Amino acid sequence: QVQLVESGGGLVQAGGSLRVSCAVSGRTFSSLSMGWFRQAPGKEREFVADTKWSGGRSYYSYYADSVKGRFTISRDNAKNTVYLQMNSLKPEDTAVYYCAVRGDGSYYDPKSYHYWGQGTQVTVSS
């Protein structure tokens, strides 16, 4: 059984930074494609970032246009953990952030992801 546990959310002022983490168990982590999504109240869950194993020693990264240049997805395979570093945060980044394990399918489609964490709240004050 694959389990994902997010942590690191909180309250931060606009312009600040925050890093959220997602610890994964139950699967060989290094070959997993991992994504971050977010969901604000009254809105649909939206893609934020994804890291895909290249098949070798590197990983591809994908980002939503709204976070490109501000957010960075990374991973520590020794710790079975994927991170989302969020800089220059804006009030519109306020949401519950979820990590997920991707199967086949497009990185931006939530239906491509088969296992989800419980989410961590990120609130950006103006």
Side-chain angles (χ1 to χ4, degrees):
Q1 181 71 15
V2 180
Q3 292 187 322
L4 297 85
V5 179
E6 298 100 334
S7 60
L11 174 64
V12 63
Q13 288 188 332
S17 297
L18 204 60
R19 188 179 78 164
V20 291
S21 304
C22 173
V24 181
S25 61
R27 192 70 77 87
T28 301
F29 180 75
S30 60
S31 62
L32 292 178
S33 296
M34 299 293 303
W36 285 97
F37 283 75
R38 66 186 181 186
Q39 189 167 18
K43 295 188 176 182
E44 293 187 351
R45 192 166 297 190
E46 66 171 355
F47 169 73
V48 176
D50 179 274
T51 171
K52 175 186 176 182
W53 183 45
S54 68
R57 298 181 66 181
S58 61
Y59 294 84
Y60 303 116
S61 298
Y62 307 96
Y63 296 94
D65 288 343
S66 59
V67 306
K68 202 171 292 184
R70 299 188 299 122
F71 291 12
T72 303
I73 189 170
S74 63
R75 60 196 297 157
D76 184 337
N77 290 337
K79 295 182 178 181
N80 286 5
T81 300
V82 61
Y83 304 98
L84 185 68
Q85 176 67 44
M86 303 180 286
N87 299 329
S88 302
L89 282 161
K90 305 175 181 179
E92 50 263 44
D93 294 318
T94 296
V96 177
Y97 283 71
Y98 299 89
C99 66
V101 177
R102 178 158 60 98
D104 295 328
S106 302
Y107 59 83
Y108 52 81
D109 187 351
K111 296 178 182 177
S112 300
Y113 295 79
H114 304 309
Y115 301 98
W116 294 82
Q118 82 288 352
T120 185
Q121 176 70 48
V122 172
T123 303
V124 184
S125 63
S126 57

